[in-house]
Structures are given as structure tokens and as C-alpha cells.
Amino acid sequence: MKLTIEILKKHKACQSGIDWFLACGETEVRKVCLKLLSEGIFCNANWLISRLLKHDDKTRYAIYAASLVLETYEKKYPGDNRPRAAIKAAKAYLKNKTAKNKKILLEARAAAYDAAYAAAYAAAAAAAAAYAADADDAAAYDAADAAAYAAAAAAAKDVNTKIIKYGLRLLYRGAKSPSEGRRGSGG
């Protein structure tokens, strides 16, 4: 599957993404995404895959991504089942595309979005509180923040890599090459 400037513009790629693509020297989607992964540019790889997938595969991609971080979310927010309900609703809708399932899916999606927004806001508030701590403890907070950030970055890289590779498998599952056509659970 070849990637062109026209495809990027059709999907309203940002100029920095277009510039990166022109400089990367690749046109095959798989190679472009793997190069983005190797450079740690996960958001662009995710953006590209999500634009190229067919509708049902976009849903499968979202389910997979959400499932990978669900346990982490539920540990941080025990009792908040909105993301799990959204995943369940999306799976049900893929199996049986009734009006009732679509309504449940839309409601669950909105609730999951609200939960994600609330989680991001809470994380930002927690970070602001840590920075507002006593100046005497600033070095300890900085060290703890750096360690936490490094651990989170390593985990995020692993999760992002699994998500992008799963998206590539969805994109290429109809390909002639057996290695491109295989489907799996990730990673």
C-alpha cells in the first residue's frame, strides 16, 4: 500500500507531518509507520493508520487500544466502568449492528470520553499540586517525577508499539504475503 502526498492532503495531514513524510524517503505505508515507531512519533503513526482503516477495522483498532490500557485505568479509577462498558458496547455492535446496539454504543462512547477527559484533568491537577509543593522538597519531587516519567514513557512506548503493529495487521490482513495477512492480539 503506497502513501502519497495526495492521500495525506485528502485526510488533512498537518504540514509538519507532510514535511516529515517528504524527508523520510519511504512511500510504503508499513515502512512509513515502522519508521515513525522507530523515531517515537506514535501520534503520527496512529493518525495515519486510523485514516486508512475501513470503518469496522477502526472500531477493532479502538477496542484493542482501549483494552490494552483498561487495567491501568481501572486501577487508578476503581468502580468507573465507563471505558469497559464502551468496549463491550463496541464489540456487541460489531457482532450485531442493530439500532439498539448503536444507541448503546454511542452512549457508552460518550461516557468513556467523559471518563478519559476526567482522568486527564485529574492527572494535570495532580501534577500542578506536586509542583506547588514546598521549595525545600523540590529536588525530591523532581527526582520522583523523573523516575515516574521514565517508567511511564517506557510503558507508553510498549503499548503504542503494540497498538500501531495491530493497526498495521488490520490494514494488511488482505495482503498476499502470509506475514502481512496474519491477525493477532498485538505486539
Side-chain angles (χ1 to χ4, degrees), residues 161-178:
T161 299
K162 286 179 181 179
I163 292 167
I164 300 304
K165 287 185 175 181
Y166 179 73
L168 286 171
R169 282 196 297 278
L170 288 174
L171 262 176
Y172 283 90
R173 70 179 171 187
K176 292 180 183 177
S177 167

PDB file of all heavy atoms in Angstrom, residues 161-178:
ATOM      1  N   THR A 161       3.552   0.835  20.589  1.00  0.00           N
ATOM      2  CA  THR A 161       4.100  -0.062  19.574  1.00  0.00           C
ATOM      3  C   THR A 161       3.130  -1.207  19.297  1.00  0.00           C
ATOM      4  O   THR A 161       2.874  -1.544  18.138  1.00  0.00           O
ATOM      5  CB  THR A 161       5.477  -0.596  20.021  1.00  0.00           C
ATOM      6  OG1 THR A 161       6.364   0.528  20.176  1.00  0.00           O
ATOM      7  CG2 THR A 161       6.063  -1.564  19.017  1.00  0.00           C
ATOM      8  N   LYS A 162       2.566  -1.792  20.342  1.00  0.00           N
ATOM      9  CA  LYS A 162       1.595  -2.880  20.156  1.00  0.00           C
ATOM     10  C   LYS A 162       0.376  -2.390  19.373  1.00  0.00           C
ATOM     11  O   LYS A 162      -0.114  -3.086  18.481  1.00  0.00           O
ATOM     12  CB  LYS A 162       1.150  -3.430  21.512  1.00  0.00           C
ATOM     13  CG  LYS A 162       2.184  -4.276  22.197  1.00  0.00           C
ATOM     14  CD  LYS A 162       1.675  -4.766  23.536  1.00  0.00           C
ATOM     15  CE  LYS A 162       2.729  -5.602  24.236  1.00  0.00           C
ATOM     16  NZ  LYS A 162       2.268  -6.062  25.549  1.00  0.00           N
ATOM     17  N   ILE A 163      -0.105  -1.207  19.715  1.00  0.00           N
ATOM     18  CA  ILE A 163      -1.290  -0.668  19.048  1.00  0.00           C
ATOM     19  C   ILE A 163      -1.015  -0.428  17.562  1.00  0.00           C
ATOM     20  O   ILE A 163      -1.796  -0.838  16.698  1.00  0.00           O
ATOM     21  CB  ILE A 163      -1.764   0.628  19.748  1.00  0.00           C
ATOM     22  CG1 ILE A 163      -2.311   0.305  21.144  1.00  0.00           C
ATOM     23  CG2 ILE A 163      -2.819   1.349  18.906  1.00  0.00           C
ATOM     24  CD1 ILE A 163      -2.514   1.525  22.021  1.00  0.00           C
ATOM     25  N   ILE A 164       0.099   0.212  17.254  1.00  0.00           N
ATOM     26  CA  ILE A 164       0.433   0.520  15.864  1.00  0.00           C
ATOM     27  C   ILE A 164       0.626  -0.774  15.067  1.00  0.00           C
ATOM     28  O   ILE A 164       0.143  -0.900  13.938  1.00  0.00           O
ATOM     29  CB  ILE A 164       1.696   1.405  15.773  1.00  0.00           C
ATOM     30  CG1 ILE A 164       1.499   2.733  16.514  1.00  0.00           C
ATOM     31  CG2 ILE A 164       2.103   1.637  14.312  1.00  0.00           C
ATOM     32  CD1 ILE A 164       0.317   3.550  16.089  1.00  0.00           C
ATOM     33  N   LYS A 165       1.309  -1.746  15.638  1.00  0.00           N
ATOM     34  CA  LYS A 165       1.525  -3.014  14.926  1.00  0.00           C
ATOM     35  C   LYS A 165       0.211  -3.751  14.691  1.00  0.00           C
ATOM     36  O   LYS A 165       0.014  -4.372  13.645  1.00  0.00           O
ATOM     37  CB  LYS A 165       2.540  -3.879  15.669  1.00  0.00           C
ATOM     38  CG  LYS A 165       3.957  -3.336  15.526  1.00  0.00           C
ATOM     39  CD  LYS A 165       4.976  -4.242  16.162  1.00  0.00           C
ATOM     40  CE  LYS A 165       6.386  -3.719  15.894  1.00  0.00           C
ATOM     41  NZ  LYS A 165       7.403  -4.587  16.480  1.00  0.00           N
ATOM     42  N   TYR A 166      -0.696  -3.676  15.641  1.00  0.00           N
ATOM     43  CA  TYR A 166      -2.017  -4.282  15.444  1.00  0.00           C
ATOM     44  C   TYR A 166      -2.749  -3.559  14.311  1.00  0.00           C
ATOM     45  O   TYR A 166      -3.360  -4.197  13.446  1.00  0.00           O
ATOM     46  CB  TYR A 166      -2.828  -4.226  16.743  1.00  0.00           C
ATOM     47  CG  TYR A 166      -4.217  -4.808  16.593  1.00  0.00           C
ATOM     48  CD1 TYR A 166      -4.400  -6.180  16.478  1.00  0.00           C
ATOM     49  CD2 TYR A 166      -5.339  -3.986  16.558  1.00  0.00           C
ATOM     50  CE1 TYR A 166      -5.663  -6.721  16.329  1.00  0.00           C
ATOM     51  CE2 TYR A 166      -6.607  -4.526  16.407  1.00  0.00           C
ATOM     52  CZ  TYR A 166      -6.769  -5.892  16.300  1.00  0.00           C
ATOM     53  OH  TYR A 166      -8.021  -6.421  16.141  1.00  0.00           O
ATOM     54  N   GLY A 167      -2.672  -2.244  14.288  1.00  0.00           N
ATOM     55  CA  GLY A 167      -3.294  -1.479  13.212  1.00  0.00           C
ATOM     56  C   GLY A 167      -2.730  -1.856  11.853  1.00  0.00           C
ATOM     57  O   GLY A 167      -3.483  -1.985  10.872  1.00  0.00           O
ATOM     58  N   LEU A 168      -1.435  -2.065  11.786  1.00  0.00           N
ATOM     59  CA  LEU A 168      -0.819  -2.493  10.525  1.00  0.00           C
ATOM     60  C   LEU A 168      -1.331  -3.868  10.117  1.00  0.00           C
ATOM     61  O   LEU A 168      -1.595  -4.114   8.931  1.00  0.00           O
ATOM     62  CB  LEU A 168       0.709  -2.495  10.636  1.00  0.00           C
ATOM     63  CG  LEU A 168       1.362  -1.120  10.620  1.00  0.00           C
ATOM     64  CD1 LEU A 168       2.845  -1.220  10.966  1.00  0.00           C
ATOM     65  CD2 LEU A 168       1.166  -0.451   9.265  1.00  0.00           C
ATOM     66  N   ARG A 169      -1.488  -4.767  11.081  1.00  0.00           N
ATOM     67  CA  ARG A 169      -2.031  -6.098  10.755  1.00  0.00           C
ATOM     68  C   ARG A 169      -3.449  -5.970  10.205  1.00  0.00           C
ATOM     69  O   ARG A 169      -3.813  -6.668   9.257  1.00  0.00           O
ATOM     70  CB  ARG A 169      -1.986  -7.019  11.967  1.00  0.00           C
ATOM     71  CG  ARG A 169      -0.599  -7.568  12.210  1.00  0.00           C
ATOM     72  CD  ARG A 169      -0.608  -8.755  13.148  1.00  0.00           C
ATOM     73  NE  ARG A 169      -1.086  -8.449  14.476  1.00  0.00           N
ATOM     74  CZ  ARG A 169      -0.339  -7.915  15.439  1.00  0.00           C
ATOM     75  NH1 ARG A 169       0.917  -7.613  15.212  1.00  0.00           N
ATOM     76  NH2 ARG A 169      -0.850  -7.686  16.621  1.00  0.00           N
ATOM     77  N   LEU A 170      -4.249  -5.085  10.788  1.00  0.00           N
ATOM     78  CA  LEU A 170      -5.601  -4.867  10.260  1.00  0.00           C
ATOM     79  C   LEU A 170      -5.552  -4.318   8.834  1.00  0.00           C
ATOM     80  O   LEU A 170      -6.315  -4.745   7.972  1.00  0.00           O
ATOM     81  CB  LEU A 170      -6.385  -3.909  11.158  1.00  0.00           C
ATOM     82  CG  LEU A 170      -6.839  -4.433  12.504  1.00  0.00           C
ATOM     83  CD1 LEU A 170      -7.465  -3.310  13.332  1.00  0.00           C
ATOM     84  CD2 LEU A 170      -7.816  -5.587  12.350  1.00  0.00           C
ATOM     85  N   LEU A 171      -4.659  -3.373   8.606  1.00  0.00           N
ATOM     86  CA  LEU A 171      -4.531  -2.773   7.274  1.00  0.00           C
ATOM     87  C   LEU A 171      -4.116  -3.785   6.218  1.00  0.00           C
ATOM     88  O   LEU A 171      -4.589  -3.737   5.087  1.00  0.00           O
ATOM     89  CB  LEU A 171      -3.472  -1.664   7.298  1.00  0.00           C
ATOM     90  CG  LEU A 171      -3.937  -0.238   7.436  1.00  0.00           C
ATOM     91  CD1 LEU A 171      -2.743   0.705   7.533  1.00  0.00           C
ATOM     92  CD2 LEU A 171      -4.849   0.188   6.330  1.00  0.00           C
ATOM     93  N   TYR A 172      -3.227  -4.690   6.591  1.00  0.00           N
ATOM     94  CA  TYR A 172      -2.627  -5.606   5.619  1.00  0.00           C
ATOM     95  C   TYR A 172      -3.199  -7.013   5.660  1.00  0.00           C
ATOM     96  O   TYR A 172      -2.676  -7.886   4.981  1.00  0.00           O
ATOM     97  CB  TYR A 172      -1.112  -5.666   5.838  1.00  0.00           C
ATOM     98  CG  TYR A 172      -0.407  -4.460   5.293  1.00  0.00           C
ATOM     99  CD1 TYR A 172      -0.198  -3.333   6.087  1.00  0.00           C
ATOM    100  CD2 TYR A 172       0.037  -4.433   3.978  1.00  0.00           C
ATOM    101  CE1 TYR A 172       0.443  -2.228   5.584  1.00  0.00           C
ATOM    102  CE2 TYR A 172       0.674  -3.318   3.469  1.00  0.00           C
ATOM    103  CZ  TYR A 172       0.879  -2.215   4.272  1.00  0.00           C
ATOM    104  OH  TYR A 172       1.507  -1.111   3.771  1.00  0.00           O
ATOM    105  N   ARG A 173      -4.260  -7.251   6.387  1.00  0.00           N
ATOM    106  CA  ARG A 173      -4.720  -8.634   6.525  1.00  0.00           C
ATOM    107  C   ARG A 173      -5.212  -9.236   5.225  1.00  0.00           C
ATOM    108  O   ARG A 173      -5.281 -10.433   5.080  1.00  0.00           O
ATOM    109  CB  ARG A 173      -5.754  -8.759   7.620  1.00  0.00           C
ATOM    110  CG  ARG A 173      -7.072  -8.118   7.302  1.00  0.00           C
ATOM    111  CD  ARG A 173      -7.992  -8.338   8.433  1.00  0.00           C
ATOM    112  NE  ARG A 173      -9.184  -7.548   8.209  1.00  0.00           N
ATOM    113  CZ  ARG A 173     -10.115  -7.412   9.062  1.00  0.00           C
ATOM    114  NH1 ARG A 173     -10.000  -8.005  10.218  1.00  0.00           N
ATOM    115  NH2 ARG A 173     -11.164  -6.694   8.799  1.00  0.00           N
ATOM    116  N   GLY A 174      -5.547  -8.422   4.247  1.00  0.00           N
ATOM    117  CA  GLY A 174      -5.953  -8.944   2.950  1.00  0.00           C
ATOM    118  C   GLY A 174      -4.785  -9.064   1.991  1.00  0.00           C
ATOM    119  O   GLY A 174      -4.960  -9.458   0.849  1.00  0.00           O
ATOM    120  N   ALA A 175      -3.581  -8.770   2.451  1.00  0.00           N
ATOM    121  CA  ALA A 175      -2.405  -8.795   1.589  1.00  0.00           C
ATOM    122  C   ALA A 175      -2.062 -10.228   1.184  1.00  0.00           C
ATOM    123  O   ALA A 175      -2.436 -11.178   1.863  1.00  0.00           O
ATOM    124  CB  ALA A 175      -1.220  -8.148   2.300  1.00  0.00           C
ATOM    125  N   LYS A 176      -1.337 -10.382   0.103  1.00  0.00           N
ATOM    126  CA  LYS A 176      -0.983 -11.705  -0.412  1.00  0.00           C
ATOM    127  C   LYS A 176       0.080 -12.387   0.441  1.00  0.00           C
ATOM    128  O   LYS A 176       0.092 -13.589   0.568  1.00  0.00           O
ATOM    129  CB  LYS A 176      -0.514 -11.594  -1.859  1.00  0.00           C
ATOM    130  CG  LYS A 176      -1.636 -11.205  -2.786  1.00  0.00           C
ATOM    131  CD  LYS A 176      -1.172 -11.095  -4.209  1.00  0.00           C
ATOM    132  CE  LYS A 176      -2.325 -10.634  -5.083  1.00  0.00           C
ATOM    133  NZ  LYS A 176      -1.947 -10.446  -6.459  1.00  0.00           N
ATOM    134  N   SER A 177       0.991 -11.613   1.011  1.00  0.00           N
ATOM    135  CA  SER A 177       2.054 -12.189   1.814  1.00  0.00           C
ATOM    136  C   SER A 177       1.503 -12.700   3.138  1.00  0.00           C
ATOM    137  O   SER A 177       0.797 -11.988   3.840  1.00  0.00           O
ATOM    138  CB  SER A 177       3.123 -11.121   2.095  1.00  0.00           C
ATOM    139  OG  SER A 177       3.984 -11.562   3.106  1.00  0.00           O
ATOM    140  N   PRO A 178       1.790 -13.975   3.498  1.00  0.00           N
ATOM    141  CA  PRO A 178       1.279 -14.510   4.773  1.00  0.00           C
ATOM    142  C   PRO A 178       1.710 -13.683   5.975  1.00  0.00           C
ATOM    143  O   PRO A 178       0.966 -13.515   6.907  1.00  0.00           O
ATOM    144  CB  PRO A 178       1.875 -15.913   4.854  1.00  0.00           C
ATOM    145  CG  PRO A 178       2.272 -16.255   3.464  1.00  0.00           C
ATOM    146  CD  PRO A 178       2.557 -14.951   2.772  1.00  0.00           C
TER     147      PRO A 178
END
